[in-house]
Amino acid sequence: MTLPPLTILLAAPRGFCAGVDRAIQIVERALARYGAPVYVRHEIVHNRYVVSQLEAKGAIFVDELDDVPDDVPVVFSAHGVPKSVPAEASRRKLFYVDATCPLVSKVHREAERHERTGRHMLLIGHAGHPEVVGTMGQVPDGSITLIETVADAERVEVADPGAVALITQTTLSVDDTAEIIAVLRRRFPELQSPKQEDICYATTNRQQAVKAIAPEADALLVIGAPNSSNSNRLVEVAKNAGCTRAVLVQRAVDIDWKALEGVRTLGLTAGASAPETLVEEVIAACRDHFTVELRDVVVTRENVEFKLPRVLVA
């Protein structure tokens, strides 16, 4: 039986970013240096496959420091944590390693600077996301107002419109954020913004790659976790760019093959916390149903690397 043809447009860049790669290395090096178990507060990155691989090596993932015994190493996730978390770890004399992505740490430093200079901050982000919780936890309560939508931007009020600053979650949709920022700048002409937008290079690059393949694709798969902000934004970007049949899948087993009947061109990408192994798994599964031709669509090449904490390098 002859399988139907399928051209897979493989977006590049895709998958792991430098911050995710660094965070995973931190857990692996901590296990190698200190032995199992190494505790990790929250998922180190939002990907169940990655978490399971690290659990198999001896990492134990917990929700809060209360779940961490004394005298064991603990790692904080790539999304960042409120200041209260390392403070509590220090109080308990826990040895901890902070795996916060350096680009998230940059936002934390911006928040501290704005708070010191008396500016109220408007944070564009998603309520309850670990990165947002961590950023808001860098400064006293009431210093930041969360903005999730254009409607929020239209109605937000601040005590002093002349002393207001903008910060953003790093994993948002560039286009959606631009719309919210435009409203805030119209309403607050003296709004202080970062010299470079807080949305990280990897988020931007992956969204640009999806925009490049979406118009040609009959359907598009984004490999990523349901709780991964950047992966969910890739689905939205694909739909806005013309591929209405864009869906998020965690693994090949999650693919709805009936929904792909009649598809001749499939876009494929992976969120910043999804390993290339899962991309290869999906391609292999496609070969069971189609005669596959791969076509790489490269919008840029990344060469960013972040240094590991000195305590794990010395």
Side-chain angles (χ1 to χ4, degrees):
M1 177 177 156
T2 303
L3 297 174
L6 179 71
T7 299
I8 296 180
L9 304 178
L10 203 51
R14 63 181 177 274
F16 279 0
C17 63
V20 165
D21 188 55
R22 173 181 179 269
I24 294 167
Q25 284 191 60
I26 285 172
V27 178
E28 290 176 335
R29 290 213 179 192
L31 284 163
R33 175 159 293 198
Y34 307 112
V38 167
Y39 279 70
V40 185
R41 183 185 179 275
H42 291 180
E43 290 186 341
I44 187 69
V45 297
H46 282 159
N47 188 276
R48 187 62 231 171
Y49 176 87
V50 171
V51 169
S52 296
Q53 294 289 303
L54 293 173
E55 284 176 333
K57 295 177 181 179
I60 297 176
F61 292 84
V62 297
D63 290 332
E64 298 296 343
L65 285 184
D66 292 347
D67 303 315
V68 178
D70 293 333
D71 303 321
V72 295
V74 61
V75 177
F76 302 150
S77 82
H79 309 101
V81 296
K83 281 187 174 178
S84 58
V85 174
E88 172 62 11
S90 296
R91 186 193 68 78
R92 290 182 53 193
K93 296 183 171 55
L94 292 175
F95 173 75
Y96 67 86
V97 182
D98 190 352
T100 299
C101 172
L103 297 180
V104 175
S105 295
K106 168 182 168 286
V107 179
H108 290 180
R109 302 294 80 78
E110 288 173 6
E112 291 173 333
R113 176 170 56 83
H114 289 312
E115 196 274 329
R116 283 197 305 270
T117 55
R119 294 190 183 96
H120 184 80
M121 284 159 279
L122 304 177
L123 167 59
I124 304 175
H126 296 297
H129 189 279
E131 183 183 329
V132 167
V133 173
T135 297
M136 295 185 77
Q138 300 304 305
V139 293
D141 289 347
S143 302
I144 296 177
T145 299
L146 181 63
I147 306 293
E148 295 191 83
T149 64
V150 169
D152 290 343
E154 289 284 10
R155 63 173 169 254
V156 65
E157 298 293 342
V158 297
D160 182 358
V164 63
L166 171 72
I167 54 177
T168 74
Q169 184 179 332
T170 63
T171 54
L172 301 178
S173 161
V174 177
D175 295 335
D176 289 349
T177 306
E179 190 176 0
I180 295 172
I181 291 173
V183 171
L184 293 175
R185 284 180 174 156
R186 169 174 56 78
R187 293 198 59 219
F188 305 104
E190 296 182 56
L191 182 72
Q192 294 288 312
S193 301
K195 292 180 181 177
Q196 293 182 321
E197 296 302 341
D198 291 331
I199 294 173
C200 83
Y201 78 94
T203 298
T204 301
N205 290 345
R206 280 148 190 73
Q207 290 178 12
Q208 291 299 327
V210 163
K211 288 180 183 179
I213 64 174
E216 293 186 61
D218 302 319
L220 190 146
L221 300 180
V222 176
I223 303 171
N227 59 340
S228 166
S229 175
N230 77 86
S231 299
N232 281 291
R233 300 296 79 74
L234 290 176
V235 175
E236 294 172 2
V237 167
K239 290 179 177 179
N240 291 336
C243 186
T244 57
R245 297 166 68 183
V247 295
L248 183 71
V249 296
Q250 295 194 73
R251 302 285 301 268
V253 71
D254 301 317
I255 297 172
D256 181 354
W257 297 106
K258 282 194 174 298
L260 294 183
E261 288 179 2
V263 169
R264 292 295 172 262
T265 304
L266 177 69
L268 182 60
T269 190
S273 50
E276 186 66 12
T277 298
L278 300 187
V279 176
E280 295 167 356
E281 177 186 277
V282 166
I283 294 171
C286 287
R287 293 190 191 280
D288 292 336
H289 295 80
F290 301 93
T291 300
V292 171
E293 175 192 351
L294 290 178
R295 180 146 63 95
D296 288 307
V297 180
V298 182
V299 299
T300 190
R301 299 191 184 278
E302 296 175 347
N303 57 6
V304 177
E305 290 184 22
F306 293 135
K307 293 180 179 178
L308 294 172
R310 273 181 284 184
V311 69
L312 297 178
V313 176

